[in-house]
Structure formats: C-alpha cells, structure tokens
Amino acid sequence: RCTDCRSAYLDPRPTEASIGRAYGTYYTHLFDPDSQASFEGLGVVRKARRMITNGYLNARFGTTRQPQSVPGGSLVKLFPRHQRLLDAEFRFLPRPRPGQRLLDVGCGNGAFLARAALAGWTVSGVDFDPKAVHAAQKAGLQVTLGSLTSLATAPETFDAITMSHVIEHVHEPLKLLLEARRLLKPGGVLFVETPNLDSLGLAIYGRHWRGIEAPRHLALFNADSLSGALSACGFRVETSHRRDNVTEGLFLQSKNLQAGRGALDGSVKLAWRDRLNVLLGSTWHAKSEFLSLTARRLG
C-alpha cells in the first residue's frame, strides 16, 4: 500500500504481456442484453411497477420503453433506493442531446453500450479482451480491440466516457485518466466505478474480500486516493454516488471465497450477524463496497 496516497497495488503482478491469461474465462464473454419478462404475463402489481419504471427511465435517460406510466418519473423518486438502482444501470449519466457521443472503456460484451444506445447516445467501446470484443461486435456494436491509449481517436471527441470496474485492471491508472481527459470535450462527463479499499467488506473478510480479485485487480483505491488521481489528471469530482444495492451481493461472494468456494457459487447464506453488517455497509457511505464517482473535465 502506498504510504503517500494510501492506494494499494498487487505485488508481484502480471506483466502487460501475460495478464491476458487471467481472462481466459470471464463473465464478459457472452452478450446478454437486458431481458424482461413478457408484459402480458405479469401480475397487476408487477405490470404497474414495470410501467412506472419505464416512465422514469424514459423521462430521466431518454429511453423509449413501453408501456409506460408518464407519472412514473415522479413516483420512482418516492423510493430512493430503487431510483439509485435504476440510475446505476445507466451509470448516473445525464440525458443526452442529439448526436452526443459516449465511449465505454473496458466495455466487455457491450451490454451497457446497447443500453446507452437505447437512451440516445451514439456509442462506441474499447476492450483488450478479444473474446469480449467478439461478443460485442457480433451484437452489432462499434467496439475496438485494445486499450484506451491505443485508440486512434482525435482529441475532444466524446461527451461522456465511462469506466465501470476498469481502472483497477490497468497497469498505469493515471495514464488511463489522462488519456480519457484528452478524448473528452471540455466539460465532458467521466464516470468511474471501482472497489473501495476502505469498504466494510474488506475490514470483515480480509484476503477473502471479493474486491481483491487477484491477479486481475492490479490497483485499488479509497475515496481520497481516487479523487486525488482524478484531480491530478484535470478532472473535478461532482458527485459520489451511493451504491447500497451491491452490499449484500459482495458480502455473499466474499463469504463464498471464505468458505473455499467460487465467488459466484451462490451456496452460502448470510447469518443474522452478516445481515447486520449488510445494513451497516449499505448505510455507511464511506464504507460502501464500491466507489462510484461522476467527474467533469476541466479546461
């Protein structure tokens, strides 16, 4: 752990030439677009919920989901936890104006790109995993194989860049942020989400914490070190988003690892003490499992 900024780094770690071996099997290899059960097959309550949710997403992000309840944009706000869950699906982005461009770095299979396109963004992506890129391209998405620094794109091209669980995977995080700044238009939006080194989950589960994920995670940040990195690279942090919806899932995965199982095996249940910790981790923002920030390019 760095004695200055307090971020952490994997040592020893894979080289840039060898790290691809850590992604031989990975969850981003199969394209799985948003799927919803047939509206006609839902009960009355679930139909109403679907219509309200569609109304909110259409009003907030510019989607055109049907059927919708136009008052849904206001009704969802009465349930802030559910609202945050919906906002997270669209990475807390602003509603795009016609023609605005979005780049997703580490786009994987392109599932988020497909969602953002439905909201009106002109989308493209980049990822260094050839299997994930193939899945995205097969789905008809404009996705390039490689890293952000290898992307042959003119400066100030994009209105928004998103990096969801990407910065912890790269060998030079600051170089990544500087390149994002170069490609963003002045005032453009950058969304970054990454595991929180100060999380309650790490304090409880230690080396079994899901956020460590060696050898794929090369660097981990806390709120101060991530904000400092963004500031040093020419960004101003605007919002730190609550991600209380992920606490239970991360705790379950960490308990699986603690029990010697795969993180996603789903065979461990949370005891009452774990439930109390989930409640604490969900309400204590500084100890949340993820850091989720929206920043803007300065200058």
Side-chain angles (χ1 to χ4, degrees):
R1 192 164 185 178
C2 176
T3 56
D4 186 10
C5 72
R6 303 301 297 157
S7 57
Y9 53 93
L10 185 64
D11 181 32
R13 64 182 183 175
T15 65
E16 292 190 39
S18 68
I19 195 169
R21 292 161 57 189
Y23 295 88
T25 57
Y26 203 50
Y27 71 95
T28 59
H29 290 167
L30 297 176
F31 183 78
D32 184 20
D34 293 345
S35 59
Q36 299 187 57
S38 168
F39 183 77
E40 290 73 19
L42 299 177
V44 174
V45 174
R46 294 183 67 188
K47 281 183 177 179
R49 181 171 179 173
R50 173 78 62 82
M51 292 174 65
I52 291 170
T53 294
N54 287 347
Y56 174 76
L57 293 176
N58 293 346
R60 170 68 176 82
F61 296 104
T63 58
T64 55
R65 297 188 178 191
Q66 296 296 332
Q68 68 162 330
S69 167
V70 174
S74 300
L75 292 173
V76 166
K77 295 177 182 179
L78 300 176
F79 305 93
R81 182 180 171 87
H82 184 59
Q83 181 183 3
R84 289 194 295 272
L85 180 61
L86 295 175
D87 290 350
E89 291 182 3
F90 287 84
R91 299 185 181 172
F92 304 93
L93 290 169
R95 181 170 178 163
R97 297 189 299 273
Q100 285 197 306
R101 299 186 62 184
L102 178 146
L103 174 68
D104 187 22
V105 182
C107 64
N109 56 27
F112 169 72
L113 286 177
R115 192 179 307 135
L118 292 175
W121 290 97
T122 300
V123 302
S124 56
V126 61
D127 200 291
F128 68 82
D129 184 341
K131 292 183 180 179
V133 169
H134 175 72
Q137 291 175 342
K138 190 175 180 180
L141 296 165
Q142 182 182 332
V143 173
T144 302
L145 177 64
S147 65
L148 182 61
T149 53
S150 67
L151 198 62
T153 304
E156 301 183 1
T157 294
F158 298 101
D159 301 279
I161 293 178
T162 60
M163 301 178 182
S164 179
H165 296 272
V166 171
I167 195 169
E168 67 270 22
H169 290 262
V170 302
H171 286 79
E172 299 183 77
L174 294 185
K175 188 175 181 180
L176 177 74
L177 293 177
L178 288 170
E179 185 63 12
R181 185 187 186 280
R182 185 184 75 84
L183 294 177
L184 271 175
K185 296 177 181 179
V189 173
L190 176 68
F191 171 81
V192 180
E193 186 167 274
T194 188
N196 180 12
L197 194 58
D198 285 344
S199 73
L200 183 61
L202 177 58
I204 294 171
Y205 297 106
R207 65 189 180 90
H208 301 292
W209 179 53
R210 179 70 170 88
I212 293 177
E213 200 175 322
R216 286 186 283 262
H217 288 182
L218 306 179
L220 294 172
F221 298 84
N222 62 15
D224 289 340
S225 62
L226 182 57
S227 296
L230 286 164
S231 178
C233 293
F235 292 94
R236 180 184 68 247
V237 175
E238 286 198 334
T239 311
S240 174
H241 306 287
R242 285 189 63 184
R243 295 292 277 117
D244 49 342
N245 307 89
V246 304
T247 307
E248 182 173 353
L250 267 291
F251 278 30
L252 277 167
Q253 293 175 32
S254 299
K255 282 187 72 68
N256 271 329
L257 293 173
Q258 191 177 54
R261 302 182 176 91
L264 302 179
D265 281 357
S267 54
V268 171
K269 295 183 179 180
L270 297 179
W272 66 268
R273 185 178 300 171
D274 300 312
R275 294 286 176 186
L276 290 177
N277 286 329
V278 168
L279 179 61
L280 179 59
S282 299
T283 55
W284 192 356
H285 184 46
K287 296 293 182 180
S288 63
E289 296 301 289
F290 293 165
L291 299 169
S292 187
L293 304 178
T294 295
R296 286 194 183 270
R297 177 192 150 166
L298 298 173

